Amino acid sequence: MTTARTPADAVSDRVPDAAPDRAPAPVSDRAPDAAPAPAADGFADAARLTGKRRVAFACFATEPELPGLAVLLRSLALSNPALCEDFVLVRPELPEERIAPLRRLHPRLVERHGSSRADLLRTTGYDTLIALTPGMLVRGDLSPLLRINTGTAAVLQPVGPHPDQLAPDPDGLLVLQTADAQRVGSLAELAADADQLLGAAHDFPVRRLHGDMPLPEPSDARVLRLHPEHRPWEGPRPGYGPVETAWAAHELDDETFRARWCELRAPQHPDLFRHFAPSVLASRPTVDLAHRLGTVHLAAGEYEEAVEVLAAAGARANQPRFHETLGRALSALSRYDEARTHFLLAAADPEVAPRAFGRLAKLARIRGGAADAQEYARQGLAVDPTHRECRVQLHPEPFQLDAKKFRPDPAPSPGEQFAHVALYATGQENAGDKVLPEAVRRSLEPKEPGPARWHGIDAHRLFDEDALAAVNARRGLVIGGGGLFLPDTVPNGHSGWQWNVPDELLRRIEVPVAVFAVGYNVFDGQSYRRERFLRSLRTLVERADFVGLRNHGSVERVRALLPEELRERVGYQPCPTTVTRHIQPDWVDPASRTDTVLLNCAYDRSGHRFGHDYGHFLGQLARAVRALSEHAEVRYAPHMPDDERLVADLRRAHGLTLPVERLYGRSNAQIHELFARARLVIGMRGHAGMIPFGCGTPILSLVSHPKMVYFLTDIERPQWGLSVHDPHLADRLVERAGAILRDHEAAVADVHERQQRLWEITRANTATLRETMPIRP
């Protein structure tokens, strides 16, 4: 193994000395917990990077009020099964045995110490709190409260002898922003300044029901609030029979409560499902509940847990959806033979058959069986001729760098090639992943990115003995770029990230290995703290001769997952799409530009991107587009078909129509030309910022993922990023875009200056690589 090289650092301007040769360290059966590396400023908290609001319910309770708090928690879960935010319990010192039963009622109970309800004002770690009381019974939908992102919201209550004397009640339900709360001295002061009034249904005093009046419909009394002295758990109170009957319906033992929750057929939050369902499944096992729990585990990336639950369920052969789910979980663990068996069982049902055959075809292709993949696809299309996955698998489009031709070489010599592991997007897949492989190759060998010098390896295909032999016959192996450190796109059990490579075969690679411009692509809410990924990552870094990640945020995150002795091997290599002007032969900056602003949004993992704020984002973006349209034509540039949801949503919700430039239908050269001629690109995807930047075009980023902030921090332009959660997004976006359009020449010059710095780092890194890999300048 050759000496490992560390990529050039963007801050110090120097290439650090090579780390000494090391023999691969033994890997234990259990991945060690990596000691946390010092986090770079701004890289420690993904929610802070993206501006994503952290929302929580909050309640102060003393020991005598804990039975009421238990009812509150049960009623919240039963009436709002799709909601699961942190529940902050502010309390005085209490014995553990009094708190433990509450934890069984909520998976995200967060305890804080305090002596009164006023201590809610000092709650930290959240942006928005929904303040409740232990004397509340939740009966209706509270989700609208989670979308309040500014000011204080409260319900007006009578405060005097006359019914028209109304004011917000500081002891009732409040929606508050913690930044505001920390500037006032009391809840009364905060409530008095409430600038948003909630309907009476959100805080309905039960004193209005005295005289055994029947309860209103849940939509008219979403939250019932008892008087502080009215405690049904201590005894009945005359005149409130229906109220106390409703209260008693929520005084349930744990098993009954969990079973009742699991029986609900409304949408259910996965955190609640994982918390409640296992004990119900243990005491009252059914195939249906096992299937639902397995599906929740699968969606959360908990593949081992999904298989454990599903395999123990004892499903019959004629339960096709169950077998399809189990097949997906097994496939995600690379237990391919077992997965195939369950997909075949699922394919016996005509309704499920097209999807099951599509999965069989994809599985066959992962294992290198192109003929089997096509046969499965034909069988699926025989049932449903329109099935998209089957059509793709029957006639997969070959990866093409571009329409232009490379020098003819019908039989390239392996000894003249580099092997290149990448995500080779084709057809209607992500346009950024189409551009990226060519950019990687041109940054290393600008003159020849084609098959004469490069042997492509699909990262998702199983890296087996044949693939190993093919790599070892080449001059070297390049891995990247792109967000390969991502657990879920095409999960596998061999590595836990996108390259489907077993550790044993990774160690047996004999040629030089370069990890080039790979990104750590985890969303806020996703995690890599899995043994399999940690072992694979350690093996990769031990074996590689060069490890360059595409932003300093990725460098810090990956270093934190490694043992201390390996951390310095990981350095910085910018994404090569950011230096397109320097790596594309014969590049010429456009003499003129179209009067166009290109816009892009992303919808994969939309829950992670938008949280509760999608409606807010959509309204703010509509305002911004209308204002910007007075200065330039705004056109929409989707990277993949799913991105086009924005066009439909803007038209439906705001009557706004945008012309569309479908990037996924263009060649790399056409994408470069479109970006180079635009005056400004406003994008949410990583490559919706990096590719136009590389073409010399000013950018603004709609930040919904930490990687956007990482890139803007690297180029020292964090002001080019605007959080999708920003309450004032429209005004700020129009202001910053307008400044760019008004002084466009200066904005372009700034992009060129930022880019030059990245190009210098890339050149230094490729010079370092030439010491171990036979790269041609």
Side-chain angles (χ1 to χ4, degrees):
M1 176 177 170
T2 53
T3 302
R5 299 289 181 179
T6 303
D9 189 279
V11 177
S12 67
D13 251 349
R14 74 181 177 88
V15 180
D17 294 334
D21 242 13
R22 298 183 181 91
V27 180
S28 65
D29 290 336
R30 186 174 183 275
D33 291 329
D41 289 344
F43 290 161
D45 187 337
R48 284 300 181 197
L49 289 176
T50 62
K52 186 175 182 180
R53 281 191 310 126
R54 293 162 299 179
V55 182
F57 293 99
C59 183
F60 172 77
T62 61
E63 186 168 8
E65 295 173 309
L66 294 184
L69 178 59
V71 167
L72 170 62
L73 290 171
R74 294 188 198 100
S75 68
L76 178 62
L78 290 169
S79 60
N80 290 263
L83 289 186
C84 188
E85 304 301 316
D86 284 3
F87 193 101
V88 179
L89 170 60
V90 179
R91 59 173 179 80
E93 197 68 41
L94 293 174
E96 169 60 24
E97 61 267 20
R98 298 305 310 275
I99 302 300
L102 300 175
R103 294 199 192 99
R104 296 197 294 270
L105 300 177
H106 200 286
R108 291 163 58 177
L109 189 72
V110 177
E111 298 173 60
R112 302 284 173 87
H113 290 287
S115 58
S116 71
R117 194 171 194 243
D119 289 321
L120 294 178
L121 295 173
R122 292 190 287 276
T123 301
T124 59
Y126 301 94
D127 301 291
T128 303
L129 294 180
I130 301 169
L132 307 173
T133 74
M136 286 180 170
L137 184 72
V138 182
R139 306 171 66 236
D141 180 20
L142 298 189
S143 60
L145 303 182
L146 278 67
R147 297 193 283 271
I148 298 173
N149 63 353
T150 59
T152 301
V155 176
L156 292 178
Q157 303 287 4
V159 294
H162 300 290
D164 58 348
Q165 289 182 291
L166 302 174
D169 185 353
D171 295 325
L173 184 147
L174 295 172
V175 181
L176 58 93
Q177 313 306 318
T178 56
D180 298 334
Q182 292 161 11
R183 291 195 292 265
V184 301
S186 67
L187 282 169
E189 182 182 350
L190 189 71
D193 292 336
D195 54 0
Q196 299 180 58
L197 299 180
L198 300 172
H202 288 95
D203 190 6
F204 192 100
V206 298
R207 64 175 179 269
R208 294 171 56 184
L209 301 176
H210 185 262
D212 291 329
M213 293 182 64
L215 269 61
E217 291 297 318
S219 59
D220 296 324
R222 300 185 187 195
V223 179
L224 293 177
R225 175 159 60 102
L226 303 176
H227 188 276
E229 297 178 2
H230 185 178
R231 297 181 175 182
W233 58 93
E234 293 180 352
R237 186 168 182 150
Y240 293 96
V243 171
E244 296 193 354
T245 298
W247 187 274
H250 292 83
E251 292 180 315
L252 306 169
D253 62 74
D254 286 349
E255 183 176 355
T256 303
F257 162 63
R258 291 171 177 171
R260 184 173 298 179
W261 190 91
C262 289
E263 290 167 0
L264 298 172
R265 290 301 175 177
Q268 295 172 300
H269 196 284
D271 289 358
L272 292 174
F273 209 107
R274 292 198 297 269
H275 193 62
F276 297 145
S279 62
V280 178
L281 188 62
S283 61
R284 312 177 188 184
T286 67
V287 172
D288 175 68
L289 184 59
H291 185 208
R292 291 163 62 201
L293 180 57
T295 301
V296 167
H297 282 309
L298 183 62
E302 298 164 349
Y303 308 119
E304 295 92 343
E305 293 86 347
V307 169
E308 182 179 357
V309 167
L310 294 168
R316 299 185 303 274
N318 63 345
Q319 294 178 293
R321 289 176 176 80
F322 180 97
H323 289 290
E324 183 195 12
T325 302
L326 180 51
R328 290 172 58 200
L330 290 164
S331 180
L333 296 175
S334 298
R335 292 166 61 174
Y336 296 135
D337 288 335
E338 295 168 85
R340 177 177 174 275
T341 297
H342 288 280
F343 286 147
L344 287 170
L345 287 170
D349 184 275
E351 289 188 15
V352 183
R355 195 166 63 241
F357 279 121
R359 297 194 186 282
L360 283 163
K362 191 171 184 177
L363 179 59
R365 203 166 293 281
I366 287 173
R367 303 179 78 179
D372 289 342
Q374 290 184 314
E375 179 55 32
Y376 286 132
R378 288 189 190 95
Q379 294 182 57
L381 291 172
V383 182
D384 179 3
T386 68
H387 193 268
R388 184 174 180 273
E389 182 64 35
C390 289
R391 291 170 69 90
V392 169
Q393 294 298 336
L394 181 61
H395 299 296
E397 295 186 28
F399 174 75
Q400 295 179 341
L401 289 173
D402 227 325
K404 64 188 292 185
K405 294 190 179 294
F406 300 99
R407 64 182 176 87
D409 196 342
S413 170
E416 291 294 317
Q417 292 178 310
F418 287 99
H420 183 195
V421 172
L423 302 177
Y424 291 102
T426 62
Q428 295 188 338
E429 295 178 313
N430 193 329
D433 290 335
K434 291 182 181 179
V435 171
L436 188 54
E438 179 180 355
V440 168
R441 296 177 182 187
R442 287 198 183 277
S443 65
L444 296 171
E445 289 202 339
K447 297 178 182 177
E448 183 52 78
R453 289 285 289 171
W454 294 91
H455 170 69
I457 298 175
D458 183 351
H460 293 154
R461 179 172 169 177
L462 174 62
F463 191 80
D464 55 17
E465 292 286 347
D466 290 342
L468 175 66
V471 166
N472 284 337
R474 265 70 188 183
R475 307 185 75 181
L477 172 64
V478 175
I479 304 166
L484 295 181
F485 292 150
L486 179 69
D488 60 355
T489 303
V490 180
N492 71 81
H494 291 125
S495 69
W497 52 292
Q498 291 303 288
W499 188 20
N500 192 355
V501 57
D503 290 352
E504 175 194 359
L505 298 189
L506 183 54
R507 294 191 190 98
R508 289 166 53 198
I509 294 174
E510 299 170 356
V511 296
V513 176
V515 179
F516 198 83
V518 168
Y520 182 87
N521 254 28
V522 178
F523 277 85
D524 180 24
Q526 286 184 305
S527 175
Y528 265 121
R529 307 298 297 190
R530 295 198 309 139
E531 295 180 9
R532 179 71 296 244
F533 173 70
L534 294 178
R535 289 200 296 269
S536 179
L537 178 65
R538 176 172 176 172
T539 302
L540 175 71
V541 175
E542 286 174 338
R543 175 59 193 85
D545 301 280
F546 176 95
V547 182
L549 305 188
R550 67 182 179 184
N551 49 59
H552 281 91
S554 291
V555 171
E556 295 295 338
R557 293 298 180 90
V558 168
R559 283 179 174 176
L561 296 174
L562 290 167
E564 186 173 358
E565 67 271 14
L566 293 179
R567 291 175 186 163
E568 292 306 312
R569 289 192 173 202
V570 179
Y572 174 46
Q573 166 54 52
C575 179
T577 63
T578 63
V579 293
T580 297
R581 295 172 57 249
H582 296 277
I583 62 177
Q584 283 290 336
D586 306 320
W587 178 277
V588 177
D589 289 328
S592 63
R593 294 176 182 256
T594 59
D595 195 21
T596 301
V597 172
L598 295 178
L599 175 65
N600 163 266
C601 292
Y603 286 92
D604 58 295
R605 307 168 186 87
S606 59
H608 288 300
R609 291 186 184 275
F610 300 109
H612 301 290
D613 291 340
Y614 181 64
H616 160 78
F617 165 75
L618 194 65
Q620 292 285 306
L621 195 61
R623 280 184 52 205
V625 167
R626 286 194 168 98
L628 289 173
S629 295
E630 297 178 5
H631 306 283
E633 182 185 20
V634 180
R635 302 180 71 85
Y636 190 64
H639 283 226
M640 56 194 306
D642 288 350
D643 293 0
E644 294 186 44
R645 173 180 164 182
L646 180 76
V647 178
D649 286 354
L650 284 176
R651 184 185 304 114
R652 171 188 51 80
H654 297 280
L656 189 62
T657 301
L658 291 178
V660 177
E661 301 279 1
R662 292 181 175 85
L663 299 184
Y664 55 85
R666 295 172 179 259
S667 69
N668 292 352
Q670 291 169 334
I671 292 172
H672 290 150
E673 181 182 9
L674 182 70
F675 280 142
R677 291 182 59 79
R679 290 171 60 79
L680 171 65
V681 176
I682 302 171
M684 189 180 294
R685 290 194 175 277
H687 281 111
M690 290 187 287
I691 297 174
F693 175 90
C695 295
T697 296
I699 63 168
L700 291 173
S701 290
L702 299 171
V703 176
S704 64
H705 190 293
K707 66 184 178 184
M708 312 296 295
V709 180
Y710 296 159
F711 171 62
L712 297 178
T713 301
D714 285 343
I715 61 174
E716 299 178 340
R717 288 296 180 268
Q719 65 270 27
W720 291 356
L722 301 100
S723 170
V724 299
H725 307 277
D726 188 338
H728 310 289
L729 174 61
D731 293 337
R732 289 178 175 149
L733 182 56
V734 171
E735 177 189 0
R736 295 181 196 181
I740 290 171
L741 295 174
R742 284 192 299 272
D743 195 357
H744 193 259
E745 185 176 341
V748 171
D750 191 23
V751 169
H752 288 187
E753 182 182 349
R754 305 291 104 199
Q755 188 184 85
Q756 182 62 35
R757 178 76 183 95
L758 304 186
W759 176 233
E760 291 169 2
I761 296 167
T762 300
R763 287 198 301 176
N765 282 336
T766 54
T768 300
L769 269 171
R770 288 191 192 101
E771 299 177 20
T772 56
M773 300 182 79
I775 296 172
R776 298 172 182 171

